[in-house]
Amino acid sequence: MINEQCWLLLGNKWGKLWLGSKLYQGEGEPAQVTFDAEFVIDRHKDVVGFLHTHPNFFATPSNTDNNTMHGWV
């Protein structure tokens, strides 16, 4: 089985555009992935988003994804 992978997107706003580059964060399990929250908090001024794979599922946000992103916002 393929495990989920996740990246932290770092960057900034340039005019009306958000520019970012991905920084590899880690690999989880087939249906779960985690990231280093402490690292994210330390880099919070540079964070423009998160990205992760759903290798065994549809490419739509899960309830866990939505809850996590609402918690960070």
Side-chain angles (χ1 to χ4, degrees), residues 2-10 20-28 33-36 39-40 47-55 69:
I2 298 172
N3 292 329
E4 287 193 19
Q5 296 182 3
C6 68
W7 295 264
L8 180 62
L9 301 176
L10 300 177
S21 60
K22 63 184 179 181
L23 177 65
Y24 183 74
Q25 283 291 291
E27 183 173 334
V33 69
T34 60
F35 57 88
D36 184 347
F39 179 81
V40 173
V47 175
V48 296
F50 299 89
L51 169 70
H52 77 273
T53 61
H54 282 196
M69 292 304 103

Side-chain angles (χ1 to χ4, degrees), residues 40-63:
V40 173
I41 291 168
D42 288 344
R43 298 294 304 256
H44 74 279
K45 291 182 181 180
D46 299 330
V47 175
V48 296
F50 299 89
L51 169 70
H52 77 273
T53 61
H54 282 196
N56 300 309
F57 300 97
F58 295 109
T60 58
S62 67
N63 288 336

